[in-house]
């Protein structure tokens, strides 16, 4: 099915992170840091494989604490396969995200563009998620993106690279 205005959309979120751009970028290329900040509130993440460089990718299982959360892959988790075609230090990170699901509402590849820009007071992180599968509600996705950005701030603002 070709994406249409009704079936695909772009979601957006941004946050000023009070940390240098180099520290924010490092949180995308460190498996430990990525596993700590990417899962939204109420979820934990575990890599099934990872190669966090341009041309690489990762498979992440997100497990949810709340048994009432509608999951895409099995009873308590979402599994995402992510390809990283662009990893431009200090500017842009592109992830091509596929949800592992038999449900056609979650099919197709979502492109997540993470823009990093130096700003007074830190680094502005902007996310544009293109071709969001229709099974993901805009409200839930916005909450998840905002939560991940808050986690990112916690990881990198703590000093010493968020140690």
């Amino acid at each position: 099915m070709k994406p249409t205005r009704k079936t695909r959309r772009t979601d957006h979120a941004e946050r000023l992170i009070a940390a240098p751009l180099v520290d924010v970028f490092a949180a995308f290329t460190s498996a430990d840091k990525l596993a700590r900040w990417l899962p939204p509130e109420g979820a934990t993440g575990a890599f099934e494989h990872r190669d966090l460089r341009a041309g690489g990718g990762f498979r992440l299982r997100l497990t949810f604490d709340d048994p009432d959360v509608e999951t895409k892959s099995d009873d308590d988790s979402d599994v995402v396969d992510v390809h990283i075609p662009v990893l431009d230090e200090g500017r842009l990170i592109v992830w091509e995200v596929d949800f592992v699901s038999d449900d056609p509402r979650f099919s197709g590849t979502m492109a997540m563009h993470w823009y990093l820009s130096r700003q007074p007071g830190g680094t502005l992180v902007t996310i544009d998620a293109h071709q969001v599968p229709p099974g993901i509600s805009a409200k839930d996705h916005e909450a998840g993106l905002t939560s991940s950005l808050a986690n990112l701030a916690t990881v990198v603002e703590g000093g010493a690279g968020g140690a």
Side-chain angles (χ1 to χ4, degrees):
M1 173 171 78
K2 183 177 178 175
T4 67
R5 186 166 257 237
K6 281 182 131 178
T7 61
R8 300 292 179 185
R9 66 176 193 278
T10 297
D11 292 342
H12 174 88
E14 63 184 41
R15 181 178 177 127
L16 181 64
I17 307 290
L21 191 145
V22 66
D23 291 349
V24 174
F25 183 78
F28 283 84
T29 58
S30 161
D32 175 60
K33 289 179 182 176
L34 188 61
R36 287 172 36 213
W37 72 259
L38 186 58
E41 183 177 352
T44 55
F47 287 107
E48 294 183 2
H49 72 76
R50 65 190 179 280
D51 179 3
L52 302 177
R53 61 183 172 86
F58 59 91
R59 184 179 181 111
L60 182 69
R61 178 175 297 275
L62 295 170
T63 303
F64 296 89
D65 302 334
D66 182 350
D68 294 329
V69 169
E70 180 184 3
T71 55
K72 301 162 197 61
S73 301
D74 56 37
D75 289 340
D76 68 350
S77 63
D78 290 346
V79 176
V80 292
D81 281 321
V82 178
H83 172 67
I84 306 170
V86 177
L87 191 65
D88 180 0
E89 186 168 345
R91 196 173 86 81
L92 173 65
I93 298 150
V94 176
W95 291 347
E96 295 173 343
V97 180
D98 289 300
F99 293 94
V100 176
S101 177
D102 293 331
D103 187 332
R105 298 176 304 145
F106 302 107
S107 67
T109 300
M110 176 174 65
M112 297 187 77
H113 293 196
W114 301 82
Y115 300 95
L116 309 179
S117 63
R118 288 181 177 88
Q119 300 287 321
T123 304
L124 180 64
V125 179
T126 304
I127 310 165
D128 288 325
H130 303 281
Q131 297 181 308
V132 178
I136 300 172
S137 81
K139 180 181 175 185
D140 289 347
H141 202 215
E142 179 182 351
L145 295 174
T146 300
S147 178
S148 291
L149 286 173
N151 294 340
L152 175 59
T154 298
V155 167
V156 298
E157 289 176 352

